[in-house]
Structure formats: C-alpha cells, structure tokens
Amino acid sequence: MKVFYSIDEFTAPQYPVVTMGTFDGVHIGHRSIISRLNEVAAMAEGGESVLITFKPHPRLVLQPEADIKLLNDEDEKIELLRKAGLQNLIFHPFSIEFSKTSGEEFVRKYLVQKVKARALVIGHDHHFGRNREGSYEHLVHLGQLYGFSVESLSAQAIHGVVVSSTKVRKTLLQGDVDTANQWLGYPYAIKGMVVKGRQIGEKIGFPTANILNENPHKLIPGDGVYAVMVSFVSDPGTKLMGMCNIGHRPTVVTGGFKTIEVHIFDFHGNIYNQVLRIEFVSRIRPEKKFNDLNALRRQLERDQMEALRRLTRVQK
C-alpha cells in the first residue's frame, strides 16, 4: 500500500477507484467498502483502489472543545487498511479553510482534476463538502458531468444493528468490548508506556504494569476488569495473557484519578519504560470497592481464573 500525505502528492494510476471518509476504526462496514473498491479496480485495466481520508480528524478541527475520542491512531489506521488490501491511502490535511470547500468544488478540484477518479464507491450514508452538503444524488449528477461512475453500498449490519464508528465508540465507553470487537472484526487495543505505580498489587500477589496513555484522543474503554492479550511494541510477535483494570481503584484510593493497570499472567521482569499493546478480549466485571486488600485479592484470584477461561476459549 502506498501512503500519501496530500492529494497534491498523489500520482494517479490509469483507473483510480476511489472512496473517501474518516474510516475511524476500519470496522467491518469500512472493510466491505475496501473489498468492493478492490473488486471494481480488478475489473479495469490499470485499476487501483484509493481512499481519501483526512488528517487530523475533521471533528478535532471543527469541534476542538468537544474532547473527541477516536478508535485509531495514524499507525493503527495504516496497518488496518493495509491488511484490508487497500492499494493507495491519501491523508489530506484538514483545516478550517479546507472545511469551507463546497461539495462540487471538492469533486471538481480534487476528485476529478487531481485524483482523476474513474469510479467512486461510498457507504450508504456518505456526505461530503462544506456542512456535509454533498450526497449520493449530488455525486451521481457530478459523475455524469465529469465522467465517473458512482456506487453506494448498503449498510453493514450484525444481528440487525447497522455498524458505525459512533456506535463502536459508544459501546466501548460502556465497557462492552465483546460487542465492539464483533463490529470491528478485531480486538480493540490501546498502547502506552509502563510507569511506576504504588505497587499495591505486588503486595497482594498481583503485580501490575501501570500504563500511561500518551494519546489524549485515543478512546479508553469504560471502567472495569477485562481479559486481555498483551504484547511489547518492540516485540509484537510475542503475546501474553493477562487482565486489565480500568478505573479509580476505590479499594486503595479515595478520589483517585483514572488508571490503566495490567497484570500479565506468569510473567516476572522489569518492564518500566517499555511500551505495551493491550488487546481487550472480553469484559469480566465492573470495577467495585472491596472492604480490604484480602477481599480484593480473593476477587482477583477469581478474575484470573475467569480471564484464563475466556482467553483460552478465544485462542482455540
């Protein structure tokens, strides 16, 4: 996959088959669009699939006060799109000035003149241009004017629910990673550096790695205890089983700030300052306060057994 950081840098193939959008999460609906892009491209001589997305995410520019949380950082999005088989990825700079571009101007100036689109494949609810004024009907009209075809795909649904990035975010914030993972088609993950904590877990037989979330825009799942798979970013091929607590540690802290703590099963070693990747496989229970550390330890023993059961089931 070739990656470009502006439409101006893009060198058009003979027959570009194009889609556009933020594609946050690269969920199963997004991947159905990429699959169809590749199918259409394969039918034309010199055909190649092209995704135009934006950097930064438009809502971060248009709603800076809204504390927007996203499913992917740039590296994750690139890797997910690469695995989906996309051939060309364009990150076009998004700014307040660019947001004022009308739908027709975007099509004429960018899609036609620079990308030289021959075919367009979009999702069922796609809108584009200033104030999201452009629609499927506009694209069909402009396609007839400028010589490209337009195809709209139906919504991707699981168990009768239409999948969207917004629904995935909401589900993750509720702690329901099991459902979110079905919609994404892969385990949701976060990355962070291991920093020194209060080491209370070590005192009760459950040492934890305290994870510093370095990306303020990365969505952290809702509070609770999760079965997770852990890997070192420096050695992504090695995956370890563990459990993760997200929350405020009410048993040991009063009024504390939110933390992300990971206990890796059967692991002993100093991993301070290492960057871990945590894949959330299943939520075990909500976070709760216990009467004392002994009660907490007994619950963690039960949590570990349940986490091992769920992780082992997934690995089979």
Side-chain angles (χ1 to χ4, degrees):
M1 185 177 74
K2 291 174 281 189
V3 181
F4 305 87
Y5 287 90
S6 169
I7 289 176
D8 296 323
E9 295 178 2
F10 180 65
T11 302
Q14 184 176 339
Y15 195 97
V17 182
V18 183
T19 193
M20 49 190 172
T22 56
F23 277 57
D24 186 34
V26 193
H27 55 62
I28 60 168
H30 293 143
R31 290 204 296 281
S32 69
I33 294 174
I34 300 299
S35 178
R36 181 57 183 161
L37 275 185
N38 288 330
E39 287 177 2
V40 175
M43 291 187 289
E45 183 177 349
E48 291 186 20
S49 55
V50 182
L51 166 61
I52 302 172
T53 190
F54 305 99
K55 180 182 177 181
H57 190 288
R59 291 182 64 194
L60 295 176
V61 175
L62 300 175
Q63 300 172 281
E65 74 291 343
D67 191 27
I68 304 300
K69 300 300 182 185
L70 303 176
L71 301 171
N72 300 142
D73 62 24
E74 183 178 313
D75 290 341
E76 290 169 334
K77 182 178 286 189
I78 289 172
E79 184 59 24
L80 287 165
L81 290 167
R82 190 190 311 276
K83 287 180 178 177
L86 183 69
Q87 293 171 295
N88 296 274
L89 172 61
I90 303 172
F91 285 102
H92 192 72
F94 192 89
S95 63
I96 292 293
E97 181 179 1
F98 181 77
S99 73
K100 298 175 182 176
T101 305
S102 70
E104 184 166 355
E105 182 185 2
F106 177 82
V107 169
R108 176 179 52 79
K109 182 177 179 181
Y110 294 99
L111 282 185
V112 176
Q113 295 179 0
K114 294 186 176 181
V115 177
K116 304 187 186 305
R118 298 290 300 278
L120 205 61
V121 178
I122 58 173
H124 73 289
D125 60 348
H126 182 77
H127 289 80
F128 65 98
R130 180 180 54 213
N131 298 323
R132 292 171 53 84
E133 64 188 14
S135 65
Y136 169 72
E137 289 74 20
H138 286 111
L139 285 173
V140 170
H141 169 72
L142 292 169
Q144 293 169 346
L145 186 64
Y146 293 113
F148 59 84
S149 64
V150 183
E151 179 179 347
S152 176
L153 299 185
S154 60
Q156 183 77 32
I158 293 184
H159 303 308
V161 177
V162 176
V163 177
S164 71
S165 299
T166 299
K167 288 178 181 175
V168 174
R169 293 187 203 106
K170 183 177 180 180
T171 303
L172 284 170
L173 288 172
Q174 293 170 343
D176 187 2
V177 299
D178 303 73
T179 298
N181 289 347
Q182 288 184 52
W183 293 348
L184 289 169
Y186 60 87
Y188 185 71
I190 63 173
K191 291 181 293 188
M193 181 177 289
V194 180
V195 297
K196 202 169 186 68
R198 299 180 64 189
Q199 298 180 308
I200 293 174
E202 188 168 354
K203 295 176 183 177
I204 60 174
F206 286 88
T208 59
N210 291 268
I211 307 301
L212 176 65
N213 176 35
E214 299 177 329
N215 183 345
H217 301 304
K218 177 73 173 180
L219 186 147
I220 304 301
D223 293 359
V225 178
Y226 298 87
V228 298
M229 296 298 296
V230 183
S231 59
F232 296 90
V233 169
S234 59
D235 182 20
T238 301
K239 288 192 176 183
L240 306 168
M241 294 184 180
M243 59 186 185
C244 175
N245 183 83
I246 298 176
H248 298 80
R249 301 176 297 173
T251 304
V252 298
V253 178
T254 301
F257 55 87
K258 180 174 289 196
T259 61
I260 305 169
E261 297 179 294
V262 180
H263 172 66
I264 305 174
F265 302 152
D266 299 320
F267 179 84
H268 306 280
N270 185 344
I271 55 174
Y272 289 128
N273 299 320
Q274 293 249 31
V275 178
L276 300 185
R277 184 174 188 270
I278 304 159
E279 293 183 359
F280 293 87
V281 175
S282 183
R283 187 173 191 251
I284 297 172
R285 62 172 175 86
E287 186 182 47
K288 65 179 184 178
K289 183 176 182 177
F290 296 91
N291 292 331
D292 52 41
L293 291 180
N294 283 330
L296 173 60
R297 176 180 53 78
R298 290 192 295 271
Q299 179 61 57
L300 292 176
E301 290 171 352
R302 292 191 290 270
D303 292 340
Q304 179 167 338
M305 291 179 62
E306 180 60 20
L308 281 168
R309 185 185 71 81
R310 298 192 191 190
L311 292 168
T312 302
R313 182 181 64 197
V314 170
Q315 297 301 306
K316 288 181 179 179

